[in-house]
Amino acid sequence: MNPSLIHTQVDAQGRALVTLNRPEVHNAFDDTLISALTVELRRLEADSAVRVVTLTGAGKSFSAGADLGWMRRMADYSPAENLADAQALAELMRTLDRLAKPTIALVQGPVYGGGVGLVACCDIALASPRAAFCLSEVKLGLIPAVISPYVVAAMGARAARRHFLTAERFSAEEALRLGLVHELVAEGELAARGAALAEQLLQNGPRALVAAKDLVALVAGRAIDTALIAETAERICAARASAEGKEGLGAFLEKRQPQWAKGS
């Protein structure tokens, strides 16, 4: 991981803060940043000491989307290079979306294009009123292809049809209304609110958090049929029988903190 592109801090409680660190270009993506962020997310996922991952950007912007120099290089790519490049960005989005840790986005400023995909891939998104959003790809004759599954899941197909087509800039308040972000927080309080939310997550069973996140992926958009009912019943049975489930229920009945909780 190139420390000049991404800065990571992990505190004693297992809260990791990952900061996109290209403020001079508004944290725009290029192939190097995409690779570095993917590697860093996988490293944090594999680190058992890390329990929550928060993503933010240095400087005035969360992310300006694609870097101009990268776009210039892409113009000369062969079809195979072009496909590999797109697949790398798609893999970053999938890695963040399915990370086996809770994820929080702290959107302190404007976010464009692929940066909106990062926000949509996080489990929880907080934004300052100064944040603004734009799915700007069609202005360049492009489409927001690899981020589309996550953005559509976050804001809905109807809103996506408008914003994919118009490429208009919209406010943090509108992003909240659409469901792209969960809360608006005063800019000076954004980091503290993110830390408090991460602390709240630490009170919950680590394996249960992973399983709950995977449960959403399982049931979203599915018909409530016999197969789905059976699968969800099996999952709660497995959770009840697990060591973590037994510890959590035991702690509740005994009126004590479970072993995983802060301060236990």
Side-chain angles (χ1 to χ4, degrees):
M1 196 260 298
N2 187 337
S4 66
L5 298 178
I6 299 169
H7 182 249
T8 299
Q9 294 174 292
V10 181
D11 68 15
Q13 295 174 313
R15 298 179 298 190
L17 177 64
V18 180
T19 303
L20 304 179
N21 192 34
R22 301 186 76 207
E24 69 284 358
V25 291
H26 299 276
N27 301 312
F29 291 169
D30 63 9
D31 48 354
T32 306
L33 178 61
I34 289 167
S35 176
L37 183 54
T38 304
V39 169
E40 182 66 351
L41 290 171
R42 289 173 176 167
R43 184 187 72 81
L44 293 172
E45 184 174 49
D47 186 346
S48 61
V50 173
R51 292 183 53 192
V52 180
V53 176
T54 298
L55 180 65
T56 193
K60 296 180 179 180
S61 300
F62 181 84
S63 175
D67 179 83
L68 291 176
W70 182 40
M71 288 193 286
R72 290 190 187 99
R73 294 197 304 276
M74 282 190 283
D76 296 324
Y77 281 178
S78 68
E81 289 172 326
N82 193 5
L83 179 59
D85 194 72
Q87 288 173 333
L89 181 58
E91 187 59 28
L92 168 60
M93 297 297 162
R94 179 168 64 176
T95 298
L96 179 57
D97 181 66
R98 299 309 304 271
L99 201 76
K101 309 280 171 81
T103 54
I104 303 170
L106 300 183
V107 187
Q108 85 287 6
V111 53
Y112 282 69
V116 179
L118 293 178
V119 175
C121 286
C122 286
D123 300 317
I124 302 168
L126 312 179
S128 83
R130 191 175 64 80
F133 299 78
C134 184
L135 291 150
S136 53
E137 286 84 353
V138 293
K139 288 184 176 181
L140 304 174
L142 304 174
I143 56 175
V146 300
I147 68 171
S148 61
Y150 315 104
V151 176
V152 171
M155 64 193 294
R158 187 64 173 163
R161 288 171 80 168
R162 171 177 178 165
H163 289 287
F164 282 13
L165 297 175
T166 63
E168 63 193 300
R169 182 181 169 114
F170 57 99
S171 67
E173 290 81 2
E174 180 67 359
L176 176 66
R177 188 186 72 81
L178 295 175
L180 182 59
V181 301
H182 295 96
E183 293 181 30
L184 296 188
V185 182
E187 187 174 357
E189 300 171 9
L190 193 61
R193 176 58 181 143
L197 196 54
E199 185 173 343
Q200 184 174 342
L201 290 166
L202 292 176
Q203 307 308 308
N204 305 326
R207 294 182 184 277
L209 288 170
V210 176
K213 183 170 177 173
D214 191 61
L215 181 64
V216 175
L218 171 74
V219 304
R222 286 272 301 274
I224 305 175
D225 55 16
T226 302
L228 185 60
I229 291 168
E231 174 68 12
T232 55
E234 289 173 4
R235 290 192 180 209
I236 186 56
C237 286
R240 288 171 179 167
S242 70
E244 185 172 286
K246 291 177 179 178
E247 165 62 15
L249 289 171
F252 176 77
L253 294 172
E254 296 163 16
K255 302 185 185 306
R256 61 173 174 82
Q257 287 269 48
Q259 292 177 356
W260 60 76
K262 173 191 169 184
S264 61

